[in-house]
């Protein structure tokens, strides 16, 4: 028998080691995809905040965004939808900011859908409630 030829047991052992290494590689290979999605880090208004009508909506994520492919809209009282089309141009690559019109009191959903620079699409909602401003003498 040649010194470089493996026995049947040796071939099975080598196959088992390759299978185990392949399984480990497959598990580790899945981790970058889990971290690749854009995750919202902060927003203004904050989630579930109660405030007078905000002047802008700001959404900051954990990764750079493909801004032309991102969108946001507000759904307010009586399910009135306001599509936010004009992003503020001077924001960081990980941030979306939109000027807002005056909002009437009531609950709002800021629905967003973003594409991270790596191509993964994520969507979510920030809830907030607009209250009428306090009368001038009551502060």
């Amino acid at each position: 028998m040649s010194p470089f030829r493996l026995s049947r047991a040796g071939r099975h052992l080598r196959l088992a080691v390759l299978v185990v290494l392949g399984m480990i590689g497959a598990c580790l290979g899945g981790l970058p995809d889990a971290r690749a999605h854009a995750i919202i880090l902060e927003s203004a208004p904050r989630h579930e905040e109660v405030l007078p009508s905000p002047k802008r909506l700001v959404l900051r994520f954990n990764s750079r965004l493909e801004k032309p492919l991102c969108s946001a809209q507000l759904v307010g009282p009586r399910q009135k939808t306001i599509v936010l089309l004009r992003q503020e141009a001077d924001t960081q690559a990980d941030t979306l900011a939109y000027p807002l019109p005056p909002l009437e009191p009531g609950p709002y959903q800021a629905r967003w859908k973003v594409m991270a620079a790596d191509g993964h699409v994520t969507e979510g909602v920030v809830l907030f409630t607009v209250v009428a401003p306090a009368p001038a003498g009551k502060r």
Side-chain angles (χ1 to χ4, degrees):
M1 183 166 168
S2 166
F4 298 107
R5 190 166 174 101
L6 293 174
S7 67
R8 177 180 277 185
R11 285 186 295 223
H12 284 108
L13 178 61
R14 183 173 67 175
L15 180 61
V17 168
L18 289 174
V19 167
V20 169
L21 289 175
M23 291 170 62
I24 291 171
C27 289
L28 293 177
L31 290 178
D33 287 342
R35 291 180 284 161
H37 293 56
I39 298 169
I40 192 164
L41 298 177
E42 62 185 326
S43 68
R46 293 183 314 276
H47 183 64
E48 298 185 345
E49 183 175 9
V50 177
L51 72 165
S53 182
K55 302 233 183 286
R56 61 198 293 244
L57 172 68
V58 180
L59 307 167
R60 190 171 72 84
F61 296 85
N62 68 333
S63 65
R64 191 169 61 83
L65 303 172
E66 294 294 337
K67 290 187 179 189
L69 302 175
C70 297
S71 64
Q73 63 181 358
L74 288 181
V75 179
R78 297 177 300 287
Q79 298 301 306
K80 179 181 175 187
T81 300
I82 302 168
V83 178
L84 303 174
L85 298 174
R86 200 177 83 231
Q87 293 181 28
E88 294 178 1
D90 59 347
T91 59
Q92 299 289 329
D94 64 350
T95 303
L96 298 176
Y98 299 91
L100 296 177
L103 301 175
E104 66 182 80
Y108 285 84
Q109 300 174 20
R111 297 180 182 175
W112 52 266
K113 187 172 189 176
V114 297
M115 179 179 282
D118 65 3
H120 287 95
V121 175
T122 313
E123 56 189 297
V125 177
V126 174
L127 305 174
F128 63 94
T129 301
V130 173
V131 294
K138 301 273 182 168
R139 291 185 183 190

